[in-house]
Amino acid sequence: MLSRDEYLAAWSRWHGGTDPADSRLVHGWLTLAYTLAVPLGRLSPLVATALGLVVAGAAIGPAAAGGAWLVLSGVLVGLSGLLDSLDGALAIAGGRASRRGFVLDSAVDRLTEVAYAGAFWVAGAPGWLAAAFGALCWLPDYLRARAGQAGVSETGAISVWERPTRVAMAGFTLGGAGVVAGLGLAEEVVTAGAAVGCLLGVVGTTQLGVQLRRALAD
């Protein structure tokens, strides 16, 4: 098992040279995943990946039930995001990282974000807003992938709309809606959270677009 610093350096290499120290949220999120991975070193990364997808899908049910069940939905979203980071920590820190696993993990990430958007929708957010949230979760990683195909080796600095931010935004929004459900404000909170997520998505995608434009111009 790699040390934490070795793991963070290896994570950076797998993510186009992105430095996790550029964001306290990302750095803290990766450190938490590594801390959990150390005692679970024998667990297969694929098991963590599959569990993350199942847990994300399970968040839709409590979101549809509404009321205080939204708190459970928010917890499941947060747990799915943690499992997603855990699989990467198990693979990289345990010396089991592979290109196949990297691609599979990215695909599962996108599917879990569809589940987050679906949870927003069934919890009361307008369909178009939930769809926009989901699309903006996908767009940055799609741009990075296409830029990589065009020969860009670096993925750019960390933006305000990275994976930990998306998970936190979805989880806290749903959980917060459950807390105030007794006041009849759940739908308003979910709608507001989805809107704020879309705003962050636009800002983060713009940041990334500017960086990639410069890289593609070289």
Side-chain angles (χ1 to χ4, degrees):
M1 181 72 72
L2 300 178
S3 69
R4 190 195 68 169
D5 290 342
E6 290 172 335
Y7 159 67
L8 292 174
W11 182 94
S12 177
R13 289 193 296 272
W14 274 100
H15 292 80
T18 300
D19 186 355
D22 289 343
S23 167
R24 289 185 179 180
L25 177 60
V26 172
H27 188 274
W29 187 266
L30 293 175
T31 298
L32 175 60
Y34 173 80
T35 302
L36 293 175
V38 170
L40 298 174
R42 293 186 179 181
L43 180 68
S44 169
L46 290 177
V47 172
T49 298
L51 284 175
L53 180 57
V54 170
V55 171
I60 297 177
W69 285 103
L70 287 164
V71 174
L72 175 59
S73 181
V75 170
L76 289 174
V77 165
L79 180 58
S80 73
L82 188 56
L83 285 167
D84 165 61
S85 293
L86 176 62
D87 65 2
L90 287 168
I92 295 174
R96 291 176 285 181
S98 67
R99 292 184 297 176
R100 181 177 62 180
F102 183 76
V103 172
L104 176 62
D105 180 57
S106 297
V108 170
D109 285 352
R110 305 294 78 76
L111 292 175
T112 60
E113 287 161 355
V114 169
Y116 301 163
F120 275 169
W121 179 46
V122 299
W128 66 269
L129 188 60
F133 178 90
L136 286 165
C137 286
W138 281 45
L139 188 54
D141 293 277
Y142 173 78
L143 290 175
R144 283 185 168 124
R146 294 296 289 175
Q149 291 177 332
V152 176
S153 59
E154 296 185 1
T155 57
I158 294 175
S159 74
V160 299
W161 192 235
E162 301 298 336
R163 174 75 174 165
T165 307
R166 301 169 209 163
V167 174
M169 195 72 229
F172 281 122
T173 293
L174 292 167
V179 171
V180 302
L183 301 176
L185 298 174
E187 288 191 8
E188 287 80 358
V189 170
V190 171
T191 299
V196 172
C198 286
L199 177 59
L200 289 174
V202 170
V203 173
T205 302
T206 300
Q207 287 178 312
L208 179 61
V210 170
Q211 295 165 5
L212 292 179
R213 184 176 183 274
R214 293 171 180 167
L216 290 167
D218 293 337

